[in-house]
Amino acid sequence: AQSVAQPEDQVNVAEGNPLTVKCTYSVSGNPYLFWYVQYPNRGLQFLLKYITGDNLVKGSYGFEAEFNKSQTSFHLKKPSALVSDSALYFCAVRRGGKLIFGQGTELSVKP
Amino acid sequence: DTEVTQTPKHLVMGMTNKKSLKCEQHMGHRAMYWYKQKAKKPPELMFVYSYEKLSINESVPSRFSPECPNSSLLNLHLHALQPEDSALYLCASSLPGATNEKLFFGSGTQLSVL
């Protein structure tokens, strides 16, 4: 079965520090992996996707993600966190007509 | 226009009421989705429409009835809901048939069933 897992329910980071939100995947064949962000009382917003090619994917708002096939991971990263990055982050895998989400990681960035 | 618009933003209904949620997009997307999301949980897929035809129904109870009148509109008709149906209902759209395409989400309708 296609799935993704986010091992951390919450990540706390100080403003200006680098941040990482973890995601591992279990997918047969070529994975189509995504990161979405959800701000309070809003829908989900697309951040970035990995299809094929370069393992380092750059996305919106300064985020990037590294696809690691040997570790079956797709961690989301940002070099310098902002308070405004505080939100709920979802890793997802797309297969057929469905987008299958991880459980989500709540990122809290403190000043 | 890269927006998915959902109305109403908030809805309170009794268990005997009939109401409808509406979703609209003008991006030319031919795939549209309904998701249900509980607080701080991942969205759960309910229905997928592709070219105005229902292509996926994730075994959703019949008290939820989707409708896609045209390529820009998606409705979700609600009848005889239960309190546990209270949730954020999200609409999304994408290019159809392409597993590598991103979804565009609306801001959702926060539904409370009393």
Side-chain angles (χ1 to χ4, degrees):
Chain A
Q2 321 295 338
S3 66
V4 289
Q6 295 179 243
E8 300 161 317
D9 291 334
Q10 182 152 12
V11 170
N12 298 310
V13 177
E15 187 176 30
N17 283 1
L19 70 87
T20 298
V21 183
K22 296 180 180 177
C23 173
T24 58
Y25 65 89
S26 175
V27 174
S28 56
N30 295 323
Y32 296 139
L33 298 166
F34 299 78
W35 276 102
Y36 284 81
V37 60
Q38 186 173 30
Y39 298 101
N41 302 313
R42 299 297 302 274
L44 279 70
Q45 294 180 29
F46 170 83
L47 281 178
L48 50 81
K49 67 180 180 182
Y50 172 82
I51 307 301
T52 59
D54 195 349
N55 289 343
L56 186 63
V57 180
K58 294 192 182 296
S60 306
Y61 313 123
F63 284 94
E64 58 188 28
E66 185 172 9
F67 175 73
N68 188 316
K69 190 172 183 178
S70 63
Q71 297 185 6
T72 62
S73 67
F74 187 56
H75 300 334
L76 182 70
K77 300 182 179 185
K78 187 174 183 180
S80 179
L82 300 173
V83 173
S84 57
D85 292 330
S86 298
L88 188 55
Y89 289 80
F90 291 102
C91 181
V93 60
R94 187 104 189 259
R95 183 62 68 184
K98 302 182 183 184
L99 192 64
I100 301 166
F101 291 95
Q103 287 302 302
T105 298
E106 189 162 12
L107 174 67
S108 178
V109 182
K110 300 293 188 187
Chain B
D1 186 359
T2 57
E3 271 197 359
V4 175
T5 303
Q6 290 188 243
T7 55
K9 293 193 182 304
H10 302 275
L11 179 62
V12 179
M13 61 185 292
M15 290 190 286
T16 58
N17 291 159
K18 287 185 180 181
K19 297 287 185 183
S20 296
L21 309 185
K22 296 186 184 301
C23 174
E24 189 169 5
Q25 57 87 15
H26 296 286
M27 293 177 279
H29 291 167
R30 302 302 294 274
M32 297 186 77
Y33 310 75
W34 280 115
Y35 283 85
K36 174 184 176 181
Q37 185 182 26
K38 294 281 194 178
K40 308 238 175 169
K41 296 294 185 183
E44 300 171 8
L45 182 64
M46 299 174 72
F47 303 103
V48 181
Y49 273 83
S50 181
Y51 292 97
E52 295 89 69
K53 293 190 186 305
L54 184 64
S55 59
I56 296 176
N57 177 340
E58 291 286 277
S59 302
V60 178
S62 60
R63 58 186 183 268
F64 295 92
S65 175
E67 178 195 20
C68 191
N70 60 55
S71 60
S72 298
L73 295 175
L74 185 67
N75 298 321
L76 186 63
H77 303 297
L78 314 173
H79 174 55
L81 294 193
Q82 303 297 310
E84 59 265 28
D85 296 322
S86 298
L88 181 67
Y89 287 84
L90 294 166
C91 174
S93 71
S94 73
L95 294 173
T99 55
N100 59 350
E101 288 299 329
K102 66 184 183 183
L103 268 62
F104 290 79
F105 284 84
S107 293
T109 295
Q110 187 66 56
L111 174 67
S112 296
V113 182
L114 304 179

